[in-house]
Amino acid sequence: MGVGRGGGGGGEAAVRKRWRVKVRLSTAAVVVWVLASAALWAGLHWRFRRAALHKAEEGLVCMCEERARMLQDQFAVSVNHVHALAILIATFHYDKLPPALDQDTFAAYAARTSFERPLLSGVAYARRVVHADRENFERQQGWIIKTMKHEPSPVQDEYAPVIYSQETISYIEGLDVMSGEEDRENILRARATGKAVLTRPFRLMSNHLGVVLTFPVYLVDLPEDAKVEDRVAATAGYLGGAFDVESLVENLLRQLAGNQELVVNVYDATNHSNPLVMYGSEIPLGTPSPSHTCMLDFGDPIRKHHMICRYRNRPHVPWSAITTSSGVFIICMLVGYIVYAAWSRYDNVKEDCRKMEELKKRAEAADIAKSQFLATVSHEIRTPMNGVLGMLDMLLDTELKATQRDYAQTAQICGKALISLINEVLDRAKIEAGKLDLESVPFDLRTILDDVISLFSSKSREKGIELAVYVSEKVPEILLGDPGRFRQIITNLVGNSIKFTERGHVFVQVHLADHSNLATEAKIEPVANGMNGHKDEASAISTSISQNTLSGFEAADSRNNWDNFKLLLSYETNEMPYEIDSEKVTLVVSVEDTGIGIPLHAQCRAFTPFMQADSSTSRNYGGTGIGLSISKCLVEIMGGQINFVSRPLVGSTFTFTAVLQRCEKNAISDNKPVLLHPLPSSFKGFSALLVDKRHVRAIVTKYHLQRLGIASEVVGTIELALSVLSGRNGSSLTSMGNKQPCMLLIESDSWGSQMDVSLHATLQEMQQNDRTHLLPKVFLLSAAESDKVKTIYSVDSVITKPLKASALAACLFQALGITQPSNENHNDSGSLHGRGGSGSLHGLLLGKNILVVDDNKVNLRVAAGTLKKYGAKVECLESGKDALTLLQVPHKFDLCLMDIQMPEMDGFEATRQIRAMEGKANEQADDGDDDSGSESTVKTAKWHLPILAMTADVIQATHEECTKCGMDGYVSKPFEEKQLFQAVQKFLDASMPS
């Protein structure tokens, strides 16, 4: 045990270790997946953000290039206007003598054309004066040349005093623009290049940053490639103007869209190390943002300018960069979760499968243990019960007083009830284990129903209730199926109906499914809602109104009325469509009663095992509540369904279907014995007149008469019957071809007071008047004992109900004085010819040597007593070893009944060894026949002793084991005459000598 526990602990430790490894792997996989998803999110976010930034940079480049181009164009336009003004001065000042231009004219012209130069704060013209011409120039102008500081200009090689100026800058008139170092340098560059020259930025009078544009004025036109010396010699003066760069840029940006988004700076980058701001703020922006630099060409080859554009605010991160990357991250996490969940689910399912496999093995082991337990319990209970019932049966065969016989019969009934209960419990266990197999043998359905009716006939007479059965003509006479299980279902349902019914009737009907409106396809709502189609329990209570049913009491199922019954009868009369060629036959069987019904609250558990309506039911009526459960399982195994309609204090109607197979009489083989009860044919051609005021009950009686070959006519009262018999009022028996009935059957409730006197008087009168040659025999149909009824009513005979074809035939034989044929007499006298009756069983066992092997002495006595009663020679042994000794070949025995469970050697092993001994003996016999050659034509008979298992175990596994070990069959203990006959009839022939 310690090793087992250690092994189990090691296995559990290994499982826990594998589980920890799986947990670690799954955790690592989750972490890696999350990190990979986060990295993917970061990569996508950076990519989308970078794409958005690149797009913003492209937009910035486009806008910056556009602004630079427009700034250059507007500056070039202003330079062109200055150039045009320079040409104007050269034309009207130097080409005209005297000059046509003076200060007033220049100022007026400059003022009137200032709209063409909106970016110039003013223009002025400075004349080139060499030192030699200074005095003459000053004398002509009437003022002296001054420096930019308004001081007399010192002596120098040449001067450039302003002689014409726009009114806005008239304060510079007379000032030498070459007195400033930078101005002098720009002037010299301008006349040397012939192009406009710019100064570095400075503050204008308007406090804006600006530059001075200087343009040379030549006396003659010079080619583009003129030399510097030629340009200096041809220079007449210099035209200059102050450019307001800030206004220029502001006007430009104001005209363009998107100005609010950009910050524009314009620089003089002549000195790369220290660029000068021409426009914009020198304070850097707080947040770095993308920028773009565009070079500006203002026409001065020396001065370098550029524009720097940047966004006022850093470009926002686009929502797509957030939503797309986040969406991909969420999808990755969901995919990871799905994979993780699937992985976990797979592990869980795998673990569940492993546990289920373990549970399956345990369940199989438990099932085997259960089967063994049931076999043991069955054997241990049924074995002593076999002794009890057997001894009681033997006791009843002795001379007993009436009281003693009553006690013995009561004990026998209780014992059989206990055996029945054991069989039900074992049946339920076999159904749950799935080991219940159905037989497939031919049987007569009507005979089985007659047997069931006979079983409950005394009980129904005691209670005074109608018990009847009706089988449709369309139902085949012989069917192929399991008669025992079918009988069990009918017995359970009829037994319940008899048990719970105190007045009214119990009616069993069998129809074909295609012809019946009681088929179970129409599901009954009451089972689900508990009301059986009624709104409340009050509406489900029976009424006192007489109904057209078998007994006149209301039935639970409203479909079982006379109208539907007539419809079913019309189906029998008319050829309704039905698949005659089909091998399968679906029967609809209904068992109707007018008992106490099932309470509405208990209908949902009607088929639950061991459940009854309430505790008082079991106290008042007894029972275990397992019969309906077993019936439901058997019906489903037969391929059918079962349901019910029940109303409290009205009754219940149980309906089920069963799928069986057709079986023709000529198809019955010897290996398929059929349970038949042939009816006498002596009554064919007879006719009867039936008096019954209840239509359904009359149809049932006609059904039994028809089975005997008797044609019948139904009338409602005795008066109508007498009218029919006498032919008065035009009454006749059309259905019987006007044949005079030989018998008159009258229901007891149709018999009135003093009716016997008037009836016989009428019949005697009819005979005297020659209206009938033979008076019909008068039969009374009654549920009471026939002897008691016959003393009350003056009739020829009393037919005791419930009706059964064989009992009805026996009564008619006696009353009509007809001699019954020998074979029919044998059948009707209660013998079971072809069914295992005592007479034929005596013929089979008479003089036969039978060996009984059982370790229980009581069972040996019971078996021996039963077999000796039928004329057999019996020897008894108590062990399998003793049986081997006695059955050494050759031996005298014709049959062996072997118990299964015995000490030392059980019945299985004993049978195997007996078959082995017989095999050796047969081989030796075959060898002897071969040695004798062709001289002997007679072959030695082979040894094979029929061995039947005499067991109290009815489990299917035991039956299979019996076959495997070589047994020929089995007899369940306690066995009865019919069962014993069925078991031995194929092994023992009555005509064979012992």
Side-chain angles (χ1 to χ4, degrees):
M1 295 298 291
V3 174
R5 286 194 297 268
E12 292 178 0
V15 171
R16 286 197 297 269
K17 184 177 180 181
R18 288 196 299 269
W19 181 256
R20 286 196 295 268
V21 171
K22 288 182 179 179
V23 169
R24 291 173 183 173
L25 289 176
S26 61
T27 303
V30 169
V31 172
V32 170
W33 182 262
V34 171
L35 293 177
S37 301
L40 179 62
W41 176 86
L44 289 175
H45 181 74
W46 178 84
R47 179 180 178 183
F48 282 105
R49 187 169 182 176
R50 183 64 184 170
L53 185 60
H54 180 68
K55 186 175 181 180
E57 290 177 350
E58 289 181 349
L60 179 65
V61 169
C62 292
M63 290 188 291
C64 193
E65 293 288 347
E66 182 183 13
R67 283 157 176 74
R69 183 176 61 256
M70 293 183 67
L71 182 60
Q72 290 181 157
D73 291 343
Q74 291 194 14
F75 194 87
V77 169
S78 298
V79 170
N80 290 335
H81 284 291
V82 173
H83 191 188
L85 188 58
I87 295 174
L88 176 66
I89 293 173
T91 302
F92 290 95
H93 182 72
Y94 294 104
D95 292 345
K96 300 293 184 180
L97 292 175
L101 189 65
D102 56 13
Q103 169 60 32
D104 295 335
T105 303
F106 181 84
Y109 178 79
R112 294 179 67 180
T113 59
S114 62
F115 68 92
E116 296 178 347
R117 303 176 300 278
L119 302 180
L120 293 175
S121 58
V123 293
Y125 173 70
R127 179 178 176 181
R128 180 187 181 195
V129 178
V130 296
H131 183 67
D133 297 332
R134 176 177 180 178
E135 291 183 4
N136 188 26
F137 174 78
E138 291 177 343
R139 188 183 317 106
Q140 290 178 357
Q141 296 295 330
W143 42 262
I144 61 174
I145 300 174
K146 298 179 181 178
T147 64
M148 298 299 293
K149 297 179 180 180
H150 296 272
E151 297 177 353
S153 177
V155 177
Q156 50 189 15
D157 295 338
E158 60 178 286
Y159 309 91
V162 176
I163 60 174
Y164 301 142
S165 64
Q166 193 173 344
E167 188 176 356
T168 56
I169 54 173
S170 59
Y171 59 87
I172 65 171
E173 185 179 354
L175 298 181
D176 182 8
V177 294
M178 293 186 68
S179 60
E181 185 66 27
E182 185 176 359
D183 295 333
R184 181 181 179 86
E185 182 180 349
N186 289 341
I187 289 173
L188 296 177
R189 266 192 316 114
R191 72 182 184 186
T193 59
K195 296 182 178 181
V197 176
L198 300 176
T199 63
R200 64 179 181 177
F202 63 94
R203 288 288 173 184
L204 301 177
M205 296 295 294
S206 61
N207 203 29
H208 288 179
L209 287 173
V211 294
V212 174
L213 172 67
T214 303
F215 202 89
V217 178
Y218 296 107
L219 296 173
V220 295
D221 293 332
L222 297 175
E224 291 291 333
D225 57 349
K227 295 181 180 180
V228 177
E229 295 81 3
D230 297 337
R231 290 184 181 278
V232 172
T235 299
Y238 314 96
L239 181 66
F243 266 97
D244 190 344
V245 179
E246 286 192 21
S247 298
L248 173 63
V249 178
E250 284 291 345
N251 294 335
L252 174 65
L253 296 180
R254 194 179 298 113
Q255 298 174 9
L256 298 176
N259 182 39
Q260 295 79 5
E261 300 178 3
L262 296 182
V263 176
V264 178
N265 288 348
V266 180
Y267 295 92
D268 183 343
T270 304
N271 184 1
H272 293 288
S273 60
N274 187 21
L276 301 176
V277 177
M278 298 178 65
Y279 174 80
S281 175
E282 298 183 7
I283 302 175
L285 296 175
T287 304
S289 62
S291 62
H292 179 70
T293 302
C294 292
M295 302 306 296
L296 299 175
D297 185 8
F298 289 152
D300 189 343
I302 302 300
R303 288 284 174 186
K304 304 297 182 183
H305 302 87
H306 64 246
M307 176 188 292
I308 298 178
C309 301
R310 61 172 58 86
Y311 287 107
R312 188 177 304 278
N313 298 312
R314 185 175 181 85
H316 296 289
V317 178
W319 278 107
S320 60
I322 299 174
T323 56
T324 305
S325 57
S326 299
V328 172
F329 177 77
I330 293 173
I331 292 174
C332 291
M333 296 305 296
L334 288 176
V335 170
Y337 174 76
I338 293 172
V339 173
Y340 177 77
W343 188 9
S344 301
R345 179 63 178 169
Y346 171 75
D347 287 341
N348 293 334
V349 170
K350 190 175 181 182
E351 182 66 18
D352 291 342
C353 290
R354 185 187 65 80
K355 292 180 180 179
M356 289 176 62
E357 191 67 26
E358 293 180 358
L359 293 175
K360 179 184 176 184
K361 294 179 180 178
R362 293 179 185 177
E364 291 174 350
D367 186 55
I368 295 174
K370 178 182 177 181
S371 299
Q372 294 175 349
F373 172 76
L374 288 175
T376 303
V377 169
S378 172
H379 182 273
E380 294 302 325
I381 295 178
R382 294 169 68 93
T383 297
M385 284 304 303
N386 175 49
V388 172
L389 295 178
M391 287 301 178
L392 288 173
D393 190 44
M394 295 172 65
L395 179 62
L396 290 172
D397 289 337
T398 63
E399 295 292 334
L400 296 175
K401 296 180 181 180
T403 304
Q404 293 172 336
R405 181 170 297 277
D406 180 62
Y407 291 164
Q409 290 176 345
T410 302
Q412 190 180 44
I413 292 173
C414 294
K416 290 183 178 180
L418 180 58
I419 288 294
S420 177
L421 176 60
I422 294 172
N423 290 337
E424 287 184 348
V425 174
L426 292 175
D427 282 343
R428 182 68 196 180
K430 287 190 288 185
I431 290 172
E432 290 178 352
K435 295 183 178 180
L436 183 66
D437 297 327
L438 298 180
E439 290 184 322
S440 182
V441 297
F443 69 95
D444 185 357
L445 172 67
R446 293 168 177 82
T447 300
I448 289 180
L449 293 176
D450 284 345
D451 291 344
V452 174
I453 293 299
S454 298
L455 184 64
F456 297 102
S457 59
S458 61
K459 191 69 174 178
S460 65
R461 284 195 292 266
E462 289 177 8
K463 290 190 170 187
I465 60 177
E466 290 272 0
L467 176 58
V469 63
Y470 177 83
V471 181
S472 170
E473 292 182 6
K474 298 297 182 180
V475 176
E477 181 179 358
I478 300 176
L479 296 169
L480 197 63
D482 192 328
R485 297 304 179 184
F486 191 87
R487 183 198 307 270
Q488 184 177 358
I489 298 171
I490 298 293
T491 302
N492 281 337
L493 296 178
V494 174
N496 284 342
S497 296
I498 294 291
K499 182 191 303 183
F500 297 109
T501 302
E502 300 297 335
R503 86 284 186 275
H505 66 268
V506 175
F507 188 24
V508 182
Q509 300 182 59
V510 182
H511 300 276
L512 294 180
D514 288 4
H515 294 170
S516 175
N517 62 342
L518 303 178
T520 54
E521 286 82 358
K523 298 298 181 183
I524 305 301
E525 295 182 0
V527 177
N529 58 30
M531 287 297 165
N532 287 299
H534 295 270
K535 296 181 179 180
D536 51 29
E537 191 161 352
S539 64
I541 303 301
S542 175
T543 62
S544 59
I545 301 175
S546 179
Q547 303 290 327
N548 200 351
T549 59
L550 183 69
S551 63
F553 287 88
E554 182 182 7
D557 193 346
S558 59
R559 296 174 299 176
N560 280 9
N561 53 33
W562 170 239
D563 294 333
N564 284 345
F565 200 69
K566 285 194 299 183
L567 184 62
L568 292 175
L569 295 178
S570 67
Y571 290 164
E572 297 179 4
T573 305
N574 303 323
E575 290 297 329
M576 298 301 296
Y578 187 75
E579 296 182 4
I580 302 298
D581 297 335
S582 175
E583 294 184 358
K584 293 185 177 181
V585 177
T586 303
L587 301 181
V588 178
V589 184
S590 66
V591 179
E592 173 186 283
D593 67 67
T594 56
I596 62 174
I598 303 175
L600 300 181
H601 68 274
Q603 293 183 10
C604 59
R605 59 175 187 269
F607 295 108
T608 305
F610 306 104
M611 294 293 292
Q612 292 190 340
D614 51 43
S615 58
S616 63
T617 302
S618 59
R619 290 197 302 269
N620 296 334
Y621 299 96
T624 60
I626 196 175
L628 284 180
S629 172
I630 294 176
S631 298
K632 182 177 186 296
C633 295
L634 292 177
V635 167
E636 291 175 351
I637 293 175
M638 290 182 178
Q641 303 178 45
I642 185 170
N643 55 34
F644 69 94
V645 177
S646 184
R647 292 162 58 190
L649 304 181
V650 175
S652 303
T653 301
F654 282 81
T655 305
F656 71 90
T657 58
V659 180
L660 304 174
Q661 290 184 335
R662 294 179 179 273
C663 182
E664 303 296 336
K665 288 185 177 181
N666 54 10
I668 300 175
S669 58
D670 295 336
N671 58 353
K672 289 185 177 181
V674 59
L675 302 180
L676 290 177
H677 190 175
L679 295 174
S681 58
S682 304
F683 302 103
K684 290 185 177 179
F686 281 49
S687 59
L689 184 61
L690 175 62
V691 179
D692 194 344
K693 61 184 178 181
R694 302 197 185 280
H695 301 292
V696 177
R697 185 173 58 187
I699 295 300
V700 172
T701 306
K702 288 188 65 175
Y703 156 72
H704 290 286
L705 293 173
Q706 185 179 1
R707 292 179 63 189
L708 297 176
I710 302 174
S712 60
E713 179 85 7
V714 180
V715 293
T717 62
I718 294 181
E719 290 77 8
L720 289 176
L722 295 176
S723 299
V724 170
L725 290 174
S726 61
R728 296 194 304 266
N729 300 326
S731 300
S732 62
L733 301 175
T734 56
S735 64
M736 295 184 293
N738 294 324
K739 184 185 296 184
Q740 188 69 24
C742 61
M743 60 189 77
L744 177 63
L745 286 76
I746 305 173
E747 277 289 344
S748 59
D749 58 359
S750 298
W751 191 281
S753 60
Q754 303 297 323
M755 184 60 68
D756 50 351
V757 177
S758 61
L759 175 63
H760 284 284
T762 304
L763 293 177
Q764 291 295 333
E765 181 183 355
M766 290 171 56
Q767 188 176 21
Q768 293 175 1
N769 296 333
D770 294 333
R771 277 181 287 182
T772 178
H773 300 288
L774 181 64
L775 290 178
K777 295 290 184 181
V778 179
F779 297 89
L780 185 68
L781 300 175
S782 175
E785 294 293 338
S786 60
D787 295 337
K788 297 179 181 179
V789 174
K790 195 171 182 180
T791 59
I792 301 175
Y793 300 97
S794 179
V795 294
D796 295 308
S797 182
V798 176
I799 300 176
T800 306
K801 299 169 66 175
L803 293 180
K804 178 184 173 185
S806 58
L808 178 61
C811 182
L812 294 179
F813 273 125
Q814 183 180 2
L816 296 176
I818 301 176
T819 302
Q820 185 176 1
S822 58
N823 58 337
E824 295 181 0
N825 182 51
H826 185 66
N827 293 334
D828 297 335
S829 62
S831 66
L832 300 172
H833 179 72
R835 300 173 62 206
S838 59
S840 57
L841 182 59
H842 187 275
L844 283 176
L845 298 181
L846 181 63
K848 296 296 189 295
N849 292 295
I850 299 177
L851 177 64
V852 180
V853 185
D854 198 328
D855 62 319
N856 190 297
K857 294 183 180 181
V858 176
N859 289 341
L860 284 176
R861 292 181 61 187
V862 171
T866 302
L867 295 173
K868 287 178 180 179
K869 184 171 64 174
Y870 300 114
K873 300 176 182 179
V874 182
E875 291 191 29
C876 300
L877 296 175
E878 297 183 5
S879 69
K881 287 186 177 181
D882 296 339
L884 290 178
T885 304
L886 194 59
L887 292 177
Q888 294 289 334
V889 179
H891 57 75
K892 63 178 180 178
F893 295 101
D894 302 297
L895 180 69
C896 176
L897 299 178
M898 180 87 65
D899 188 25
I900 292 178
Q901 297 181 358
M902 295 183 293
E904 296 184 1
M905 180 182 293
D906 59 17
F908 296 140
E909 183 60 28
T911 303
R912 292 189 188 95
Q913 296 194 21
I914 291 172
R915 296 304 181 212
M917 291 190 303
E918 292 176 345
K920 291 181 180 180
N922 292 332
E923 289 179 0
Q924 293 175 1
D926 292 339
D927 293 341
D929 291 339
D930 294 339
D931 294 340
S932 63
S934 60
E935 297 177 359
S936 177
T937 59
V938 179
K939 296 292 183 179
T940 304
K942 292 186 178 181
W943 286 93
H944 183 86
L945 176 66
I947 300 176
L948 301 180
M950 191 172 58
T951 175
D953 181 8
V954 293
I955 302 299
Q956 183 67 25
T958 305
H959 300 168
E960 296 173 357
E961 186 66 24
C962 293
T963 305
K964 289 181 181 179
C965 71
M967 291 184 174
D968 299 285
Y970 58 88
V971 179
S972 297
K973 295 187 292 187
F975 53 78
E976 298 176 353
E977 297 175 9
K978 182 167 61 177
Q979 181 191 20
L980 182 60
F981 176 83
Q982 293 174 0
V984 302
Q985 66 174 341
K986 56 184 177 182
F987 303 111
L988 301 179
D989 189 353
S991 63
M992 183 185 298
S994 61

